[in-house]
Amino acid sequence: MPPFPVERVRAQFPSLARRVGELPAAFLDGPGGSQVPQRVIDAVAGYLRDRNANSGGVFVTSVETDAMLDEAHAAAADLLGADDPGEIAFGANMTTLTMALARALGRTWSPGDEVLVTRADHDANVAPWLLAARDAGASAAFVEIRRDGTLDLDDLARKLSRRTRLVAAGCASNAIGTIQPVARVAELAHAVDALVLLDAVHLAPHARVDVAALGCDFLACSAYKFFGPHVGLLWGRRELLETLPAYKVRPASEALPVRWETGTLDHEGIAGTLAAIEYLADLGRALEPAAAGRREAIEAAFRGIEAHEQELSRRALDRLAAVPGLALHGIADPARVAERTPTFAFTHARRTPSELARFLAGRGIFTWSGNFYALALTEALGLEPQGVLRAGFLHYNTMDEVERLGDALLELA
Ligand SMILES: Cc1ncc(COP(=O)(O)O)c(C=O)c1O
């Protein structure tokens, strides 16, 4: 595979040229939200300038808005490996879409039913299910994790029963980067006829998310993590999305996807989301010119992204292991980089996570401290109340930025 064209990628993201005083900014804040390429900025502004309208009208800007929305659903289906664009619902963000789905699914549960959530997940894939179970009089239980943050599939197998109605799991941890064996989770859950919802918010900018290969029933993610604007996406199997009791206003259509897309959507954000998916497809075409179709091109993009990010991960793990007093949480073995995203969570013997974030910000390195709402995980790993320092790399980050992080942390000694 030719070297990943990281400088050509970076040239498309204007914000990456930002400086902090004399220093170039190092955006290691990607797990909290990615930067966007120029074409996403142009798509958002261009929509507002040229086609701004509500949908469903007979005049040209409304017709163009509907065409853009159709194309965005088709692009999102390509991104997520879905066959049917009607199975994609856009919404405010992953949390809001999951709350709406949980409220609908919860109406199909009764006392005696059970929901399984995991210790590894962001609370957006925990709290909606705990609340829906409570409202239905159903029970909820947590699937435990192993020390390296991977899901304990034996614990899942023990907890699954004919009473289990739903398993909600995350594809990858937004706090420590562990990629979870969610295809296996879906197999185990389906063996007892439970439904499966996967949270792909953290994984989506790092790896191909393919609902067919994962075998799930629902999957949610967010465009602002994969180089687009602040828009959420929900995919679900047509027969479920058509029949579940969605909370919606009466005049709105019962057809998919409208019955899940409550209210007027963020059209400019969806235009930007379409541009972000097209950006990924064009990256794939640049890496593998034979990959012409959008879906194949997106797959090609992620082959390149994964190879580049794994190289960054191997070096980052080496550098972090060499910092005195630093403890990395999650998978630390450079031979296992395929099982993690380049999202690194650590604590330091003499500095709190928020002190570390401030120290790094002073050196132009943008990171986050805290639990990033992955509360069950930081509790399970004994990391509350301070949480961790999180440095997260995306495909636009460079080896030089890995070295800068390593060098800065060595200064602490
Ligand atoms: C893994 C994961 N799930 C869910 C969410 C919530 O997503 P949203 O902000 O779109 O509601 C986040 C946000 O950081 C996340 O990282």
Side-chain angles (χ1 to χ4, degrees), residues 30-33 91-98 120-125 170-175 199-203 220-225 230-233 372-374 390:
N93 48 54
M94 178 275 183
T95 306
T96 305
L97 286 165
T98 306
D121 273 60
H122 187 288
D123 213 52
N125 199 26
C171 296
S173 163
N174 65 311
D199 171 359
V201 173
H202 182 65
L203 189 63
C221 62
S222 282
Y224 75 95
K225 310 281 191 180
H230 292 89
V231 167
L233 295 82
F372 330 110
Y373 285 16
R390 180 182 68 184

mmCIF file of all heavy atoms in Angstrom, residues 30-33 91-98 120-125 170-175 199-203 220-225 230-233 372-374 390, ligand 1:
data_model
loop_
_atom_site.group_PDB
_atom_site.id
_atom_site.type_symbol
_atom_site.label_atom_id
_atom_site.label_comp_id
_atom_site.label_asym_id
_atom_site.label_seq_id
_atom_site.Cartn_x
_atom_site.Cartn_y
_atom_site.Cartn_z
ATOM 1 N N GLY A 30 -10.200 14.892 18.410
ATOM 2 C CA GLY A 30 -11.144 14.290 17.466
ATOM 3 C C GLY A 30 -12.260 13.472 18.095
ATOM 4 O O GLY A 30 -13.398 13.533 17.622
ATOM 5 N N PRO A 31 -11.990 12.688 19.167
ATOM 6 C CA PRO A 31 -13.095 11.903 19.751
ATOM 7 C C PRO A 31 -14.217 12.794 20.288
ATOM 8 O O PRO A 31 -15.355 12.338 20.459
ATOM 9 C CB PRO A 31 -12.417 11.121 20.875
ATOM 10 C CG PRO A 31 -10.977 11.068 20.483
ATOM 11 C CD PRO A 31 -10.694 12.352 19.764
ATOM 12 N N GLY A 32 -13.917 14.060 20.555
ATOM 13 C CA GLY A 32 -14.962 14.992 20.977
ATOM 14 C C GLY A 32 -15.654 15.638 19.787
ATOM 15 O O GLY A 32 -16.760 16.174 19.916
ATOM 16 N N GLY A 33 -15.039 15.601 18.644
ATOM 17 C CA GLY A 33 -15.594 16.210 17.431
ATOM 18 C C GLY A 33 -14.455 16.469 16.466
ATOM 19 O O GLY A 33 -13.410 16.991 16.871
ATOM 20 N N GLY A 91 -31.258 13.227 12.489
ATOM 21 C CA GLY A 91 -31.816 13.902 13.658
ATOM 22 C C GLY A 91 -30.772 14.812 14.276
ATOM 23 O O GLY A 91 -29.698 15.031 13.695
ATOM 24 N N ALA A 92 -31.086 15.327 15.452
ATOM 25 C CA ALA A 92 -30.224 16.333 16.074
ATOM 26 C C ALA A 92 -28.842 15.773 16.394
ATOM 27 O O ALA A 92 -27.820 16.421 16.149
ATOM 28 C CB ALA A 92 -30.876 16.862 17.346
ATOM 29 N N ASN A 93 -28.791 14.597 16.967
ATOM 30 C CA ASN A 93 -27.531 13.967 17.379
ATOM 31 C C ASN A 93 -27.854 12.542 17.783
ATOM 32 O O ASN A 93 -29.027 12.150 17.826
ATOM 33 C CB ASN A 93 -26.865 14.743 18.530
ATOM 34 C CG ASN A 93 -27.868 15.043 19.619
ATOM 35 O OD1 ASN A 93 -28.533 14.151 20.125
ATOM 36 N ND2 ASN A 93 -28.027 16.318 19.954
ATOM 37 N N MET A 94 -26.832 11.762 18.076
ATOM 38 C CA MET A 94 -27.064 10.357 18.425
ATOM 39 C C MET A 94 -27.915 10.227 19.680
ATOM 40 O O MET A 94 -28.802 9.371 19.769
ATOM 41 C CB MET A 94 -25.707 9.665 18.597
ATOM 42 C CG MET A 94 -25.773 8.209 19.002
ATOM 43 S SD MET A 94 -25.938 8.033 20.803
ATOM 44 C CE MET A 94 -25.896 6.267 20.969
ATOM 45 N N THR A 95 -27.654 11.082 20.672
ATOM 46 C CA THR A 95 -28.368 10.957 21.955
ATOM 47 C C THR A 95 -29.871 11.159 21.751
ATOM 48 O O THR A 95 -30.691 10.384 22.259
ATOM 49 C CB THR A 95 -27.833 12.003 22.959
ATOM 50 O OG1 THR A 95 -26.414 11.862 23.056
ATOM 51 C CG2 THR A 95 -28.454 11.824 24.329
ATOM 52 N N THR A 96 -30.238 12.183 21.021
ATOM 53 C CA THR A 96 -31.649 12.498 20.819
ATOM 54 C C THR A 96 -32.348 11.386 20.026
ATOM 55 O O THR A 96 -33.472 10.977 20.352
ATOM 56 C CB THR A 96 -31.768 13.847 20.085
ATOM 57 O OG1 THR A 96 -31.052 14.830 20.846
ATOM 58 C CG2 THR A 96 -33.204 14.297 19.946
ATOM 59 N N LEU A 97 -31.683 10.885 18.988
ATOM 60 C CA LEU A 97 -32.277 9.798 18.197
ATOM 61 C C LEU A 97 -32.437 8.541 19.049
ATOM 62 O O LEU A 97 -33.440 7.826 18.949
ATOM 63 C CB LEU A 97 -31.391 9.504 16.976
ATOM 64 C CG LEU A 97 -31.455 10.532 15.846
ATOM 65 C CD1 LEU A 97 -30.294 10.348 14.881
ATOM 66 C CD2 LEU A 97 -32.785 10.410 15.086
ATOM 67 N N THR A 98 -31.445 8.265 19.908
ATOM 68 C CA THR A 98 -31.512 7.056 20.731
ATOM 69 C C THR A 98 -32.599 7.196 21.799
ATOM 70 O O THR A 98 -33.310 6.232 22.098
ATOM 71 C CB THR A 98 -30.128 6.772 21.358
ATOM 72 O OG1 THR A 98 -29.171 6.719 20.301
ATOM 73 C CG2 THR A 98 -30.103 5.448 22.104
ATOM 74 N N ALA A 120 -18.909 -0.466 29.054
ATOM 75 C CA ALA A 120 -17.931 0.202 28.186
ATOM 76 C C ALA A 120 -18.506 1.435 27.509
ATOM 77 O O ALA A 120 -17.765 2.228 26.946
ATOM 78 C CB ALA A 120 -17.445 -0.779 27.115
ATOM 79 N N ASP A 121 -19.840 1.600 27.566
ATOM 80 C CA ASP A 121 -20.467 2.564 26.662
ATOM 81 C C ASP A 121 -20.548 3.990 27.184
ATOM 82 O O ASP A 121 -20.620 4.239 28.388
ATOM 83 C CB ASP A 121 -21.873 2.075 26.327
ATOM 84 C CG ASP A 121 -21.875 1.126 25.150
ATOM 85 O OD1 ASP A 121 -21.212 0.075 25.265
ATOM 86 O OD2 ASP A 121 -22.471 1.444 24.132
ATOM 87 N N HIS A 122 -20.604 4.895 26.229
ATOM 88 C CA HIS A 122 -21.016 6.285 26.467
ATOM 89 C C HIS A 122 -22.430 6.254 27.043
ATOM 90 O O HIS A 122 -23.250 5.414 26.644
ATOM 91 C CB HIS A 122 -20.995 7.012 25.124
ATOM 92 C CG HIS A 122 -21.218 8.489 25.180
ATOM 93 N ND1 HIS A 122 -22.451 9.037 25.453
ATOM 94 C CD2 HIS A 122 -20.385 9.535 24.960
ATOM 95 C CE1 HIS A 122 -22.364 10.359 25.402
ATOM 96 N NE2 HIS A 122 -21.115 10.689 25.110
ATOM 97 N N ASP A 123 -22.740 7.175 27.925
ATOM 98 C CA ASP A 123 -24.051 7.145 28.583
ATOM 99 C C ASP A 123 -25.217 7.351 27.605
ATOM 100 O O ASP A 123 -26.362 7.017 27.933
ATOM 101 C CB ASP A 123 -24.116 8.185 29.710
ATOM 102 C CG ASP A 123 -24.997 7.702 30.851
ATOM 103 O OD1 ASP A 123 -24.766 6.570 31.346
ATOM 104 O OD2 ASP A 123 -25.939 8.413 31.228
ATOM 105 N N ALA A 124 -24.928 7.871 26.417
ATOM 106 C CA ALA A 124 -25.990 8.019 25.410
ATOM 107 C C ALA A 124 -26.505 6.665 24.945
ATOM 108 O O ALA A 124 -27.576 6.584 24.333
ATOM 109 C CB ALA A 124 -25.467 8.807 24.212
ATOM 110 N N ASN A 125 -25.748 5.604 25.218
ATOM 111 C CA ASN A 125 -26.225 4.257 24.889
ATOM 112 C C ASN A 125 -26.488 3.455 26.160
ATOM 113 O O ASN A 125 -26.530 2.229 26.124
ATOM 114 C CB ASN A 125 -25.206 3.535 23.995
ATOM 115 C CG ASN A 125 -25.838 2.357 23.262
ATOM 116 O OD1 ASN A 125 -27.054 2.351 23.020
ATOM 117 N ND2 ASN A 125 -25.031 1.359 22.930
ATOM 118 N N GLY A 170 -21.650 -0.640 22.317
ATOM 119 C CA GLY A 170 -20.891 0.329 21.529
ATOM 120 C C GLY A 170 -19.849 -0.379 20.679
ATOM 121 O O GLY A 170 -19.203 -1.325 21.133
ATOM 122 N N CYS A 171 -19.663 0.104 19.445
ATOM 123 C CA CYS A 171 -18.671 -0.509 18.552
ATOM 124 C C CYS A 171 -17.247 -0.232 19.025
ATOM 125 O O CYS A 171 -16.346 -1.042 18.818
ATOM 126 C CB CYS A 171 -18.838 0.036 17.148
ATOM 127 S SG CYS A 171 -20.418 -0.376 16.391
ATOM 128 N N ALA A 172 -17.031 0.943 19.616
ATOM 129 C CA ALA A 172 -15.695 1.286 20.122
ATOM 130 C C ALA A 172 -15.861 2.305 21.231
ATOM 131 O O ALA A 172 -16.773 3.139 21.199
ATOM 132 C CB ALA A 172 -14.818 1.863 19.014
ATOM 133 N N SER A 173 -14.950 2.249 22.200
ATOM 134 C CA SER A 173 -15.029 3.154 23.355
ATOM 135 C C SER A 173 -14.505 4.539 23.017
ATOM 136 O O SER A 173 -13.360 4.683 22.562
ATOM 137 C CB SER A 173 -14.207 2.581 24.518
ATOM 138 O OG SER A 173 -13.959 3.605 25.470
ATOM 139 N N ASN A 174 -15.328 5.551 23.280
ATOM 140 C CA ASN A 174 -14.895 6.935 23.040
ATOM 141 C C ASN A 174 -13.890 7.396 24.085
ATOM 142 O O ASN A 174 -13.264 8.434 23.918
ATOM 143 C CB ASN A 174 -16.092 7.891 23.034
ATOM 144 C CG ASN A 174 -16.768 7.982 24.382
ATOM 145 O OD1 ASN A 174 -17.074 6.961 24.992
ATOM 146 N ND2 ASN A 174 -17.013 9.187 24.864
ATOM 147 N N ALA A 175 -13.728 6.623 25.163
ATOM 148 C CA ALA A 175 -12.791 7.035 26.210
ATOM 149 C C ALA A 175 -11.432 6.372 26.043
ATOM 150 O O ALA A 175 -10.400 7.040 26.123
ATOM 151 C CB ALA A 175 -13.371 6.702 27.586
ATOM 152 N N ASP A 199 -23.913 1.470 19.001
ATOM 153 C CA ASP A 199 -23.476 2.865 18.965
ATOM 154 C C ASP A 199 -22.164 2.911 18.190
ATOM 155 O O ASP A 199 -21.140 2.417 18.677
ATOM 156 C CB ASP A 199 -23.299 3.357 20.409
ATOM 157 C CG ASP A 199 -22.643 4.738 20.475
ATOM 158 O OD1 ASP A 199 -22.322 5.302 19.415
ATOM 159 O OD2 ASP A 199 -22.455 5.230 21.604
ATOM 160 N N ALA A 200 -22.217 3.500 16.988
ATOM 161 C CA ALA A 200 -21.010 3.565 16.149
ATOM 162 C C ALA A 200 -20.408 4.967 16.142
ATOM 163 O O ALA A 200 -19.609 5.294 15.267
ATOM 164 C CB ALA A 200 -21.344 3.127 14.730
ATOM 165 N N VAL A 201 -20.783 5.800 17.119
ATOM 166 C CA VAL A 201 -20.319 7.198 17.096
ATOM 167 C C VAL A 201 -18.789 7.256 17.103
ATOM 168 O O VAL A 201 -18.185 7.957 16.297
ATOM 169 C CB VAL A 201 -20.889 8.000 18.284
ATOM 170 C CG1 VAL A 201 -20.259 9.393 18.341
ATOM 171 C CG2 VAL A 201 -22.400 8.119 18.185
ATOM 172 N N HIS A 202 -18.152 6.510 18.017
ATOM 173 C CA HIS A 202 -16.687 6.627 18.078
ATOM 174 C C HIS A 202 -16.002 5.891 16.924
ATOM 175 O O HIS A 202 -14.969 6.336 16.424
ATOM 176 C CB HIS A 202 -16.152 6.127 19.421
ATOM 177 C CG HIS A 202 -14.666 6.293 19.507
ATOM 178 N ND1 HIS A 202 -14.066 7.533 19.513
ATOM 179 C CD2 HIS A 202 -13.645 5.399 19.519
ATOM 180 C CE1 HIS A 202 -12.752 7.398 19.546
ATOM 181 N NE2 HIS A 202 -12.473 6.106 19.533
ATOM 182 N N LEU A 203 -16.582 4.777 16.488
ATOM 183 C CA LEU A 203 -15.892 3.981 15.463
ATOM 184 C C LEU A 203 -15.958 4.618 14.071
ATOM 185 O O LEU A 203 -15.025 4.467 13.269
ATOM 186 C CB LEU A 203 -16.487 2.563 15.408
ATOM 187 C CG LEU A 203 -15.697 1.580 14.527
ATOM 188 C CD1 LEU A 203 -14.287 1.361 15.080
ATOM 189 C CD2 LEU A 203 -16.428 0.254 14.394
ATOM 190 N N ALA A 220 -26.553 3.721 15.501
ATOM 191 C CA ALA A 220 -26.601 5.190 15.537
ATOM 192 C C ALA A 220 -25.185 5.750 15.479
ATOM 193 O O ALA A 220 -24.234 5.143 15.998
ATOM 194 C CB ALA A 220 -27.287 5.652 16.823
ATOM 195 N N CYS A 221 -25.041 6.903 14.817
ATOM 196 C CA CYS A 221 -23.748 7.588 14.819
ATOM 197 C C CYS A 221 -23.980 9.077 14.589
ATOM 198 O O CYS A 221 -25.123 9.530 14.506
ATOM 199 C CB CYS A 221 -22.784 6.990 13.796
ATOM 200 S SG CYS A 221 -23.337 7.111 12.111
ATOM 201 N N SER A 222 -22.892 9.822 14.525
ATOM 202 C CA SER A 222 -22.974 11.282 14.462
ATOM 203 C C SER A 222 -22.000 11.823 13.436
ATOM 204 O O SER A 222 -20.811 11.491 13.479
ATOM 205 C CB SER A 222 -22.604 11.885 15.819
ATOM 206 O OG SER A 222 -23.677 11.756 16.699
ATOM 207 N N ALA A 223 -22.493 12.684 12.552
ATOM 208 C CA ALA A 223 -21.640 13.187 11.463
ATOM 209 C C ALA A 223 -20.510 14.072 11.966
ATOM 210 O O ALA A 223 -19.458 14.158 11.330
ATOM 211 C CB ALA A 223 -22.494 13.944 10.449
ATOM 212 N N TYR A 224 -20.701 14.742 13.106
ATOM 213 C CA TYR A 224 -19.643 15.661 13.549
ATOM 214 C C TYR A 224 -18.409 14.923 14.044
ATOM 215 O O TYR A 224 -17.374 15.545 14.285
ATOM 216 C CB TYR A 224 -20.160 16.643 14.605
ATOM 217 C CG TYR A 224 -20.372 16.097 15.999
ATOM 218 C CD1 TYR A 224 -19.396 16.220 16.977
ATOM 219 C CD2 TYR A 224 -21.561 15.483 16.345
ATOM 220 C CE1 TYR A 224 -19.589 15.741 18.262
ATOM 221 C CE2 TYR A 224 -21.765 14.992 17.625
ATOM 222 C CZ TYR A 224 -20.785 15.117 18.575
ATOM 223 O OH TYR A 224 -20.984 14.625 19.842
ATOM 224 N N LYS A 225 -18.505 13.596 14.173
ATOM 225 C CA LYS A 225 -17.305 12.806 14.509
ATOM 226 C C LYS A 225 -16.630 12.289 13.243
ATOM 227 O O LYS A 225 -15.505 11.829 13.308
ATOM 228 C CB LYS A 225 -17.669 11.616 15.397
ATOM 229 C CG LYS A 225 -18.517 11.939 16.609
ATOM 230 C CD LYS A 225 -17.741 12.516 17.753
ATOM 231 C CE LYS A 225 -18.657 12.544 18.978
ATOM 232 N NZ LYS A 225 -18.013 13.072 20.153
ATOM 233 N N HIS A 230 -22.942 19.000 12.870
ATOM 234 C CA HIS A 230 -23.593 18.413 14.052
ATOM 235 C C HIS A 230 -24.963 17.848 13.699
ATOM 236 O O HIS A 230 -25.998 18.498 13.870
ATOM 237 C CB HIS A 230 -23.670 19.454 15.170
ATOM 238 C CG HIS A 230 -22.309 19.778 15.703
ATOM 239 N ND1 HIS A 230 -21.523 20.768 15.171
ATOM 240 C CD2 HIS A 230 -21.587 19.194 16.684
ATOM 241 C CE1 HIS A 230 -20.363 20.782 15.816
ATOM 242 N NE2 HIS A 230 -20.372 19.845 16.739
ATOM 243 N N VAL A 231 -24.944 16.627 13.211
ATOM 244 C CA VAL A 231 -26.144 15.905 12.770
ATOM 245 C C VAL A 231 -26.009 14.463 13.257
ATOM 246 O O VAL A 231 -24.915 13.915 13.249
ATOM 247 C CB VAL A 231 -26.218 15.922 11.212
ATOM 248 C CG1 VAL A 231 -27.248 14.934 10.697
ATOM 249 C CG2 VAL A 231 -26.544 17.329 10.714
ATOM 250 N N GLY A 232 -27.133 13.874 13.705
ATOM 251 C CA GLY A 232 -27.108 12.461 14.104
ATOM 252 C C GLY A 232 -27.744 11.590 13.038
ATOM 253 O O GLY A 232 -28.567 12.068 12.230
ATOM 254 N N LEU A 233 -27.358 10.309 13.016
ATOM 255 C CA LEU A 233 -27.912 9.349 12.058
ATOM 256 C C LEU A 233 -28.349 8.097 12.806
ATOM 257 O O LEU A 233 -27.617 7.594 13.661
ATOM 258 C CB LEU A 233 -26.869 8.909 11.021
ATOM 259 C CG LEU A 233 -26.307 9.917 10.037
ATOM 260 C CD1 LEU A 233 -25.187 10.733 10.652
ATOM 261 C CD2 LEU A 233 -25.762 9.197 8.814
ATOM 262 N N PHE A 372 -15.899 11.980 29.589
ATOM 263 C CA PHE A 372 -16.507 12.060 28.247
ATOM 264 C C PHE A 372 -17.839 11.312 28.191
ATOM 265 O O PHE A 372 -18.206 10.744 27.167
ATOM 266 C CB PHE A 372 -15.528 11.524 27.168
ATOM 267 C CG PHE A 372 -14.097 11.742 27.547
ATOM 268 C CD1 PHE A 372 -13.279 10.679 27.879
ATOM 269 C CD2 PHE A 372 -13.585 13.023 27.652
ATOM 270 C CE1 PHE A 372 -11.978 10.890 28.292
ATOM 271 C CE2 PHE A 372 -12.277 13.242 28.053
ATOM 272 C CZ PHE A 372 -11.478 12.172 28.375
ATOM 273 N N TYR A 373 -18.538 11.306 29.311
ATOM 274 C CA TYR A 373 -19.842 10.636 29.488
ATOM 275 C C TYR A 373 -19.736 9.108 29.443
ATOM 276 O O TYR A 373 -20.758 8.427 29.439
ATOM 277 C CB TYR A 373 -20.870 11.116 28.454
ATOM 278 C CG TYR A 373 -21.430 12.508 28.705
ATOM 279 C CD1 TYR A 373 -20.835 13.402 29.577
ATOM 280 C CD2 TYR A 373 -22.585 12.929 28.041
ATOM 281 C CE1 TYR A 373 -21.349 14.669 29.785
ATOM 282 C CE2 TYR A 373 -23.119 14.196 28.246
ATOM 283 C CZ TYR A 373 -22.485 15.069 29.119
ATOM 284 O OH TYR A 373 -23.003 16.317 29.308
ATOM 285 N N ALA A 374 -18.509 8.566 29.359
ATOM 286 C CA ALA A 374 -18.366 7.104 29.449
ATOM 287 C C ALA A 374 -18.260 6.753 30.935
ATOM 288 O O ALA A 374 -17.297 6.147 31.405
ATOM 289 C CB ALA A 374 -17.135 6.642 28.678
ATOM 290 N N ARG A 390 -7.480 12.394 27.582
ATOM 291 C CA ARG A 390 -7.716 11.668 26.319
ATOM 292 C C ARG A 390 -7.079 12.421 25.167
ATOM 293 O O ARG A 390 -7.412 13.583 24.915
ATOM 294 C CB ARG A 390 -9.205 11.508 26.068
ATOM 295 C CG ARG A 390 -9.510 10.768 24.762
ATOM 296 C CD ARG A 390 -11.003 10.665 24.519
ATOM 297 N NE ARG A 390 -11.598 11.957 24.253
ATOM 298 C CZ ARG A 390 -12.910 12.170 24.082
ATOM 299 N NH1 ARG A 390 -13.749 11.159 24.178
ATOM 300 N NH2 ARG A 390 -13.377 13.367 23.833
HETATM 301 C C1 LIG B 1 -19.348 6.698 21.718
HETATM 302 C C2 LIG B 1 -20.301 7.852 21.766
HETATM 303 N N1 LIG B 1 -21.610 7.610 21.792
HETATM 304 C C3 LIG B 1 -22.513 8.589 21.821
HETATM 305 C C4 LIG B 1 -22.136 9.901 21.844
HETATM 306 C C5 LIG B 1 -23.181 10.962 21.855
HETATM 307 O O1 LIG B 1 -23.284 11.472 20.579
HETATM 308 P P1 LIG B 1 -24.078 12.831 20.279
HETATM 309 O O2 LIG B 1 -23.220 13.938 20.747
HETATM 310 O O3 LIG B 1 -24.256 12.802 18.790
HETATM 311 O O4 LIG B 1 -25.375 12.743 20.989
HETATM 312 C C6 LIG B 1 -20.783 10.231 21.839
HETATM 313 C C7 LIG B 1 -20.337 11.630 21.905
HETATM 314 O O5 LIG B 1 -19.241 11.918 22.255
HETATM 315 C C8 LIG B 1 -19.840 9.171 21.781
HETATM 316 O O6 LIG B 1 -18.527 9.414 21.747
#
